[in-house]
Structure formats: C-alpha cells, structure tokens
Amino acid sequence: MTYKAPRGTHDVFGNNALGMSLLEQKARGIFQKHGFEELRTPIFEDAALFMRSIGQTTDIVEKEMYIFEDRKGRKLALRPEGTASLVRAFIEHRMDVLTPAGKFFYVGEMFRYERPQAGRYRQFHQIGAEFFDNSSPAADAEIIVLAQDLLFAIGIDKINVHINSLGCQNCRPLFREALVKDFGFVENLCEDCVRRLEKNPLRLLDCKVDSYKFTAVPQMSDYLCDDCKDNFSLVQSLLKSAGCAYTVDGKLVRGLDYYTRIVFEIRSDAVGSQDALAAGGRYDNLVEELGGKHTPAVGFALGCERVLLAAEKTGFFNSLKKPEKIFVAIADQELFNEAFSFATKTVRKGLKSNKDISVFGPVNNKSLTNQLKFADKIKASKAIVFAKTEFENGKVLVKDMKEKTQIEISINEL
Ligand code: AMP
C-alpha cells in the first residue's frame, strides 16, 4: 500500500518552498513598513462563524467547506478564508472596544473543497491583511497598493487591478432589484444562476458559464448613492496619485457576502484561467454582524500558490540565490569529533555573520571516496577534509568540488 497526498493538496518543496518563504519574508517586511502586526488564528473554527460571515448562499458555504464534528459533537470547519477568523479574534479579545484601530496580517493554510486545477487547490496558502476602524478611502487605497507591492516584491509587475463598488445598505438593494428584474428575462440560465437569481443575484455577474449572456445587464455604478459615488471616485483619485493603474470592472462582485463598497481583484495574464492573484475589499458591517462594536474595515488576501505560478513565469525562481554548500569530510576516522566540532562552529559563525552557507557532514564509517561522492550529489561547492598529517600541523584540505583542485589551509584561517 502506498499513500499519496489527498486530492487537491500538494507538498511544497524545492524552489516552491524557497519561493514561498521568500514571499512570506518580503510580505512581513512590507507589512511592518505599513504598520501591520501578525495575528495567528486556529486552522479550524466554529462552522457557524463562516456560514454567518461569508454568507449562506455563497459557493464557499454551500459547497466548499470542510465541516466535521469533534468528539463532543461540535460542528467545526477548516477555515476557508482568513477574514472571518480575524474578525472573530478582534471581537473576542475586545479590540473593537479597547484598541479598534488595528492593522493585522496573517499567513497560513486555507481549505476549500473545489475542483482542483492549476492554481486551484483544496489546501492552499494565503497571505492577507485586515485594516480595522478606518472608513477613509485612504485605507482602501493603501490596501490595494499594499497588495500590489507584495506582487512587485517578487518580480510580478504585469498585473491588472480591477476595482468596483458594491454600494452600501442604502443603494445596493435597488441594484439587486434591477438585476432580478433583468435576469428574469435571460433564457436558459445555468443551474447555479437559477438558484442565485433567487438567493444572491449579485453573484450572477461573475458566473463563468452564463457571463457571455449578460452583456446589457444593469451596472452598480448607475445605482450608487451620492456617498458611495464620492467614495468610489476618491479611492480612484488616491490610486491614481499613488501611480496605481486600475480598471473599473462593473462585473466584479467577489464570492463573499460581507463586502460593502470597494472590492478589487489583482489579476495576471501569466497564470491561465485561475488568474486572480489577490483580492479583497471593504466590509464595514461584518464586525457588528459578528457581535462586535460597529467597526468599518477593509482587507485583502493573496493566494501564494497562484502568485508563485506567476512568479515562475517571470523567471523569478532563476534569480533565487541558494546558499553555498560546504561538506566537512574525514580522511581519518579518529578525527570525527574534531570535524564535528568544526562543522558546528562553522554553522554558528555563519549564523553570527549572516553568511549564506549550509554545512553538511561529517559522517563516520564511510570511506573518503564515498563521502566526496555524497558531497558531489548534494552539489557542495567545497569539501573540507580532516586528514591526520595536515591536522597535526593545524591544517585541513579544502577541495573545490567543481574545479577538482585542492589546497591546504590553516584551520584558524577558515
Ligand atoms: P478569496 O479568499 O476568495 O477572496 O481569494 C483570495 C485569493 O486566494 C485569490 O485571489 C487566489 O489567489 C487565492 N485562492 C482562492 N481560492 C483558492 C484555491 N482554491 N486555490 C488556490 N488559491 C486560491
């Protein structure tokens, strides 16, 4: 019996692992500059949290959640996204009352039971941020610019920023009504759209099957109230002044119900049909809906796997600098302890000086030839050989594994 990773999951290793940590590292640096602090939440939560926040009629809640019961019969769900959990934590720790102006980021795995394909998985990683208690258009623009900066940081500069306004509690119902009226006349709607028409008509706008039929549907922009219109144009003028190019996309609705006003998606032509690298928007009512004090907020999440797929296309992986590998070998078994102590000291020295090296070895009970073969296998650039005669004179042999040359060097000089 052999085992495979469950469908839709994948192991992250090699260049992808390097890319993933570099992306996280760059993200942490950028978040810090913008004043965001890390907040880690559990991987599973009360399933009702997601049902309530994301919305009962969304694809995520209707068909994509991993729900299970624990031994006490509690209904739990693996988190399908980060915002609901962060809002839960924000309220649970009374930050909505005590320190509402919070800026938080998160990094971690999300789970959705989707049909797997390139760029779409059942377990994937997101890096996201939430900006609480700020209703200014500057917060929306900052979040979009921040998401864009994360992509630039790993060499993805060919991106399309799509933005839309979904209006507020005052103007959105009018748009919803107009949509229901208009879509009622569209023939042969797909099964999902028939359901959405009744329960969540906004979602029809991003249906992949029927979208070609919706050429003349009403536009939210025609229904925005004056406040929402002003807000939308202010966000746009801030984006322009920050040098961020964008497209207003009337069909952008996003698959989560909690959004109000600004929503956005950052897409790349480099990654096929799953082209949304990052997405987000404003959610002014969610904190209150989940039991907290009214706290306007805006956030985004970036899908690490998709971002790395796009980065691969830009040649980003070729530019990754890998540490120099050094192998410590022994020509004489009795020098095993000395070689080990040298290897340990070298690692510690490397740590102190921040030198980009990886140290391997030594191993005992293997011939020198075998040790050097292993050094070749792991692509070590140098082998440092502990041999009795040289060691007695305070020296070691340093072999250049590529050039096949060797020199004697005093241990103190290394
Ligand atoms: P969302 O949480 O749906 O707003 O998605 C935010 C970002 O997460 C998307 O732009 C994608 O990059 C990524 N994402 C969402 N679902 C998946 C998935 N099933 N597999 C991989 N990445 C995903």
Side-chain angles (χ1 to χ4, degrees):
M1 173 81 184
T2 55
Y3 297 98
K4 284 188 162 179
R7 186 166 146 76
T9 69
H10 57 277
D11 302 307
V12 184
F13 59 97
N15 270 344
N16 270 322
L18 277 178
M20 191 83 91
S21 357
L22 193 68
L23 175 61
E24 285 179 14
Q25 195 187 316
K26 299 233 174 204
R28 283 173 197 280
I30 294 173
F31 282 134
Q32 193 195 41
K33 296 250 160 20
H34 283 266
F36 284 74
E37 287 170 30
E38 186 165 12
L39 203 164
R40 300 187 194 204
T41 63
I43 277 178
F44 58 85
E45 298 265 3
D46 196 336
L49 169 71
F50 301 115
M51 292 170 176
R52 179 77 205 271
S53 56
I54 298 169
Q56 291 286 355
T57 58
T58 55
D59 283 354
I60 296 180
V61 169
E62 278 188 336
K63 15 184 200 191
E64 295 171 4
M65 288 226 286
Y66 279 90
I67 297 188
F68 61 99
E69 274 187 14
D70 71 3
R71 287 166 195 270
K72 290 261 168 76
R74 299 178 191 98
K75 207 170 165 193
L76 301 168
L78 296 183
R79 61 182 183 198
E81 59 109 41
T83 303
S85 303
L86 256 84
V87 171
R88 195 261 314 131
F90 182 75
I91 300 167
E92 185 169 338
H93 303 292
R94 305 305 327 263
M95 295 183 216
D96 56 332
V97 182
L98 304 171
T99 50
K103 283 172 134 184
F104 298 103
F105 74 90
Y106 58 89
V107 175
E109 295 83 353
M110 303 294 158
F111 306 85
R112 294 184 197 172
Y113 192 84
E114 293 199 82
R115 201 166 46 78
Q117 65 181 84
R120 190 164 72 192
Y121 310 99
R122 290 183 175 170
Q123 178 178 331
F124 57 98
H125 296 78
Q126 280 187 342
I127 295 177
E130 315 295 347
F131 190 165
F132 290 104
D133 202 30
N134 192 325
S135 58
S136 163
D140 303 63
E142 181 175 351
I143 281 286
I144 296 173
V145 169
L146 203 158
Q148 204 189 29
D149 282 352
L150 290 188
L151 298 172
F152 290 163
I154 63 158
I156 304 173
D157 48 12
K158 289 199 180 61
I159 48 175
N160 311 307
V161 179
H162 290 242
I163 61 170
N164 194 18
S165 174
L166 298 180
C168 64
Q169 279 155 322
N170 298 330
C171 53
R172 202 192 303 178
L174 302 173
F175 177 55
R176 196 176 187 272
E177 226 173 78
L179 280 180
V180 175
K181 208 163 132 210
D182 257 55
F183 281 127
F185 293 106
V186 180
E187 288 180 356
N188 299 325
L189 285 175
C190 75
E191 210 178 286
D192 277 341
C193 280
V194 172
R195 204 165 27 86
R196 286 172 185 147
L197 185 58
E198 199 184 310
K199 294 182 170 174
N200 197 350
L202 250 70
R203 291 298 321 284
L204 276 109
L205 292 173
D206 70 350
C207 175
K208 300 271 182 295
V209 183
D210 281 338
S211 60
Y212 73 96
K213 299 175 191 164
F214 308 150
T215 44
V217 291
Q219 295 287 313
M220 182 70 226
S221 51
D222 296 329
Y223 290 81
L224 291 178
C225 62
D226 287 346
D227 277 356
C228 286
K229 252 188 218 152
D230 284 351
N231 172 270
F232 197 23
S233 60
L234 261 171
V235 172
Q236 291 184 55
S237 74
L238 290 172
L239 288 177
K240 275 186 202 139
S241 58
C244 170
Y246 61 87
T247 309
V248 173
D249 179 350
K251 282 193 175 171
L252 183 67
V253 287
R254 310 283 307 119
L256 305 101
D257 273 1
Y258 50 64
Y259 287 122
T260 48
R261 290 193 164 167
I262 305 301
V263 286
F264 71 97
E265 227 171 67
I266 304 184
R267 300 178 190 158
S268 156
D269 296 332
V271 288
S273 66
Q274 299 304 309
D275 60 353
L277 302 184
R282 179 162 279 287
Y283 52 93
D284 284 347
N285 304 319
L286 186 59
V287 177
E288 198 170 3
E289 271 165 25
L290 293 181
K293 204 173 142 212
H294 179 74
T295 311
V298 56
F300 83 97
L302 161 159
C304 299
E305 283 78 2
R306 274 186 216 177
V307 167
L308 291 179
L309 268 179
E312 198 178 356
K313 300 269 161 52
T314 65
F316 165 74
F317 286 128
N318 305 333
S319 67
L320 287 182
K321 209 170 139 262
K322 294 192 181 155
E324 185 187 357
K325 290 181 181 170
I326 292 164
F327 186 79
V328 180
I330 42 174
D332 297 287
Q333 292 296 319
E334 65 217 69
L335 294 176
F336 186 46
N337 278 0
E338 284 76 5
F340 179 75
S341 144
F342 170 80
T344 316
K345 276 187 197 143
T346 311
V347 170
R348 289 183 178 149
K349 246 204 251 169
L351 279 174
K352 261 197 204 147
S353 66
N354 225 353
K355 231 179 173 178
D356 232 358
I357 51 161
S358 304
V359 181
F360 295 77
V363 282
N364 63 340
N365 297 333
K366 282 222 183 322
S367 70
L368 183 59
T369 316
N370 272 341
Q371 293 175 56
L372 294 179
K373 268 191 195 158
F374 178 77
D376 263 337
K377 226 188 240 173
I378 59 165
K379 297 198 171 69
S381 63
K382 287 194 179 67
I384 296 174
V385 183
F386 279 67
K388 205 170 162 206
T389 323
E390 287 77 9
F391 188 72
E392 277 167 4
N393 294 322
K395 291 184 173 168
V396 285
L397 298 168
V398 178
K399 280 180 177 290
D400 187 311
M401 299 302 289
K402 211 165 151 206
E403 304 293 331
K404 304 284 176 215
T405 55
Q406 81 173 34
I407 48 169
E408 270 182 30
I409 292 188
S410 150
I411 297 180
N412 297 333
E413 276 175 43
L414 280 172

